[in-house]
Each structure stands twice: as structure tokens, then as C-alpha cells.
Amino acid sequence: NLRFKPGVDKLDNKALRDMARISGWRALVEQAAQQTGEPAYVEALGWLGSVGSVPTLLRWLDASDDVVKLAAASSLARITGQRPI
């Protein structure tokens, strides 16, 4: 389970991007995305750039929240080099 320091309940986007760049963080970021549904975590998977995140991101495209869908599409575009139409 994801745990934060006392007084911190989430990470900002810059911290997520920095964390996602470190290759060992993919599983942690995926877990955080699945547990919280926060678009920032979904987008952080794109910053990681691992093709291992593609199946998870494809599932997020079916989310009911349009912001989460956009974050998943942005992440997929970052990983694959393709832009959404």
C-alpha cells in the first residue's frame, strides 16, 4: 500500500514526473493510480515511459472520468510517440 509522510496526502505533478523517471517506480505509480484513480498518477505512468504500463493505460481509457481518460491517452502518446486523434 502507498503511504505518505504525516501531513502529506498526495504528491504534486512535478514530484510524480520525477519519481516516474526512475525505472523502479512503475509498480508503485501503477498501484497508486489503481488505488486512487488520480489523473496525476495515470499521467505519471507516461513519464516513466515503460511499455509495461500500456495494458494498464489502455484499461484507463474506459474510465468514466474524462480527465482520467485524457491522462491515459496522454501517457500512451508519450510512451508510443503517437498522438490521439
Side-chain angles (χ1 to χ4, degrees):
N1 289 334
L2 182 65
R3 296 201 173 131
F4 297 102
K5 294 189 294 185
V8 176
D9 61 350
K10 64 181 181 177
L11 299 172
D12 65 16
N13 285 339
K14 182 186 180 315
L16 288 170
R17 285 193 303 272
D18 292 343
M19 189 171 59
R21 288 185 183 126
I22 301 169
S23 64
W25 288 92
R26 182 176 68 89
L28 179 62
V29 174
E30 278 190 27
Q31 179 184 7
Q34 291 169 356
Q35 286 179 352
T36 67
E38 287 287 326
Y41 290 113
V42 177
E43 190 169 345
L45 290 172
W47 286 100
L48 177 61
S50 172
V51 294
S53 297
V54 170
T56 300
L57 292 167
L58 289 172
R59 285 192 296 276
W60 281 106
L61 291 176
D62 289 331
S64 59
D65 184 341
D66 288 341
V67 177
V68 172
K69 286 181 187 179
L70 182 60
S74 295
S75 289
L76 286 165
R78 186 176 308 284
I79 292 169
T80 64
Q82 299 296 312
R83 295 288 171 220
I85 296 174

